[in-house]
Amino acid sequence: MAGASKNSRTTVATQKFMCPCGGEIAMKTLMENGRLRNIAECPKCKRVERRPKDFK
């Protein structure tokens, strides 16, 4: 019997990141100097970091 491929078994899960101020961190994509740049921003305190993990 053939099993399901490895890629078909993966599940999609969205992860919510929380800022220390209590706001939920949102990922944004900006175009700067012809390059795409992903940033993480807290809409509550307007803090901007490179990735959600940097808020800790």
Side-chain angles (χ1 to χ4, degrees), residues 5 18 21 24 26 32 34-35 37 39 42-43 45 48 50 52-53 56:
S5 71
M18 300 303 284
C21 74
E24 187 178 330
E32 285 186 358
R35 303 174 100 179
R37 183 171 165 231
I39 60 165
C42 174
C45 65
V48 176
R50 190 169 150 239
K53 193 167 65 173
K56 294 183 181 181

Side-chain angles (χ1 to χ4, degrees), residues 19-21 25-30 32 37-55:
C19 182
C21 74
I25 298 168
M27 290 300 292
K28 295 186 177 182
T29 304
L30 298 177
E32 285 186 358
R37 183 171 165 231
N38 293 316
I39 60 165
E41 181 182 15
C42 174
K44 192 173 179 183
C45 65
K46 304 296 183 203
R47 184 174 162 192
V48 176
E49 296 288 344
R50 190 169 150 239
R51 55 186 181 258
K53 193 167 65 173
D54 295 340
F55 280 87

Side-chain angles (χ1 to χ4, degrees), residues 3-23:
S5 71
K6 180 176 68 173
N7 291 333
S8 69
R9 289 187 304 234
T10 60
T11 59
V12 176
T14 55
Q15 193 171 7
K16 292 189 177 185
F17 294 99
M18 300 303 284
C19 182
C21 74

